[in-house]
Amino acid sequence: MTARPATASLHPLSGSPREIERLVGSWLSETDPAPLSVRTSGSTAGPKDVLLSAAAVRASVAATSTHLGGAGRWTLALPAHYVAGLQVISRCVLAGTSPVVLDEHVDLAAATAAMTQTPAPRGAERRYLALVPTQLHRYLDSDRASLAAYDCVLLGGAAVSARLLQEADAAGITVVTTYGMSETCGGCVYDGVPLDGVGVALSSAGDIRISGPVLFDGYADRPDLTHRALRDGWFHTADLGRFDDDGRLDVLGRRDDVVISGGVNISLSAVENRLLAMPGVEQAAVTSRPDAEWGAEVVAVVEDGPMVPDLDDIRDFVSAEHPRTWAPRFLLVVDALPLLTTGKVDRRRLAGLIRTAPS
């Protein structure tokens, strides 16, 4: 599998949500159009320009519709120029609807009301919303009624704590977790199950590989990265995973999330997931910083709140599920985690906070 060459005819994904909606509508109506160029969020490394074909986007939309039980209307609560926003718009365009853009309304309640007051085309009566975990957490605190008005809330872009899913379920909100990236037209594995036509396999080391019609054509102007990522019909991701007893994919985190501290390999993603389940911890991230004694020191960054636990309690809580050597050795309490416009934690800014924090 090779990439199409990057040329001046590539469609860049930029502009306001309505401008992107018009662009996508025109693009999907063309016969064999040039790929759409979508920039990755760059939350951990520098952003890349991913080339998505119209065929791949159409395949992703069709598979999502089948999995969710039909086409529908969507509220756009994510940036339109990233892949998750692109997919919300594409699903609407191909269903003959138009997204309700959250930014055009005062809040989620107003956007949801606008959707419910607008007649739906036949066959697209269902209501959908796509969020990242930070958004779901905040809307659960402020507007559960609006969330419950949707037939399904797609949740992706970051690790999701079991506590957050339990809270949503208790509130009567149907959440489907997604795994994917720009290179796979966004989510391609829903609740651990690949969408129709998507293949998922693991290397002997646990690296996740993905195949199917949703794959990207390559990286613009980066044949080296393309050849490294696309081999033998598979996209070789930077993520680690395992299959549970039911055969569902359990994503463990990025390969570069594993650090060595005192000679021990530690999965920062696993520690972060455990920390997010701790009482008193609402929003948190786990990272590392260099340490003269240990080589690397695991750091917990927790948003301030009325019941934030101290470091000793955090270490005990993490150690109840993981080896004691995995427990954070430093705690930084912040007013708010640094976020990208996508709602994901900005890992590079987080590293900057750690570097300037007192030892």
Side-chain angles (χ1 to χ4, degrees):
M1 183 178 294
T2 58
R4 276 177 145 169
T7 71
S9 64
L10 289 173
H11 293 282
L13 193 64
S14 62
S16 71
R18 294 304 177 193
E19 289 171 335
I20 291 176
E21 181 184 1
R22 290 191 290 271
L23 166 67
V24 170
S26 174
W27 179 66
L28 289 173
S29 69
E30 295 178 31
T31 301
D32 192 28
L36 196 67
S37 180
V38 182
R39 180 149 289 195
T40 63
S41 62
S43 59
T44 55
K48 299 182 288 290
D49 293 311
V50 173
L51 307 182
L52 298 179
S53 69
V57 170
R58 286 180 176 275
S60 176
V61 169
T64 294
S65 178
T66 298
H67 189 96
L68 297 183
R73 294 170 294 169
W74 289 78
T75 292
L76 178 63
L78 298 167
H81 56 284
Y82 289 121
V83 72
L86 162 68
Q87 287 300 75
V88 167
I89 291 173
S90 298
R91 292 166 192 147
C92 290
V93 167
L94 293 175
T97 67
S98 182
V100 174
V101 179
L102 181 61
D103 288 348
E104 296 176 353
H105 298 272
V106 175
D107 53 21
L108 180 62
T112 304
M115 172 179 286
T116 59
Q117 292 164 6
T118 303
R122 187 173 181 179
E125 294 86 1
R126 292 175 66 79
R127 302 170 186 162
Y128 298 119
L129 175 66
L131 301 173
V132 296
T134 299
Q135 290 173 305
L136 178 59
H137 170 78
R138 291 173 180 170
Y139 288 138
L140 280 170
D141 281 346
S142 64
D143 195 357
R144 296 189 177 200
S146 292
L147 292 175
Y150 292 90
D151 292 284
C152 175
V153 175
L154 283 188
L155 190 66
V160 185
S161 71
R163 188 177 64 180
L164 183 63
L165 295 177
Q166 291 164 358
E167 187 177 352
D169 183 65
I173 298 158
T174 300
V175 173
V176 171
T177 60
T178 73
Y179 167 70
M181 56 282 293
S182 301
E183 292 88 341
T184 62
C185 290
C188 63
V189 178
Y190 283 17
D191 286 336
V193 179
L195 295 178
D196 288 351
V198 174
V200 175
L202 301 178
S203 72
S204 58
D207 300 278
I208 299 174
R209 296 178 294 180
I210 299 172
S211 67
V214 300
L215 293 189
F216 70 133
D217 282 358
Y219 298 108
D221 299 319
R222 292 302 306 269
D224 55 330
L225 294 181
T226 300
H227 295 152
R228 192 182 311 157
L230 289 173
R231 304 194 305 273
D232 302 321
W234 291 87
F235 169 48
H236 295 249
T237 77
D239 296 324
L240 297 172
R242 65 187 176 194
F243 293 115
D244 66 16
D245 292 340
D246 296 322
R248 294 175 181 264
L249 179 67
D250 182 13
V251 180
L252 303 177
R254 290 179 59 87
R255 190 188 308 113
D256 55 13
D257 277 345
V258 176
V259 300
I260 301 175
S261 178
V264 176
N265 289 343
I266 301 173
S267 168
L268 299 179
S269 297
V271 176
E272 183 171 296
N273 288 340
R274 176 61 176 168
L275 180 59
L276 287 168
M278 186 174 185
V281 175
E282 297 299 334
Q283 295 289 292
V286 172
T287 185
S288 66
R289 66 179 183 182
D291 181 81
E293 180 180 0
W294 300 97
E297 180 180 60
V298 178
V299 177
V301 184
V302 178
E303 282 193 358
D304 201 1
M307 298 178 61
V308 174
D310 62 23
L311 179 60
D312 288 340
D313 288 339
I314 287 175
R315 287 178 56 78
D316 289 343
F317 189 82
V318 170
S319 300
E321 182 170 297
H322 299 298
R324 186 74 177 181
T325 51
W326 287 31
R329 296 181 179 278
F330 184 78
L331 169 65
L332 178 64
V333 179
V334 297
D335 292 335
L337 293 175
L339 302 178
L340 298 165
T341 56
T342 58
K344 298 180 183 179
V345 173
D346 188 332
R347 299 287 173 176
R348 287 187 288 177
R349 285 175 57 199
L350 192 69
L353 291 177
I354 297 302
R355 282 195 300 269
T356 58
S359 299

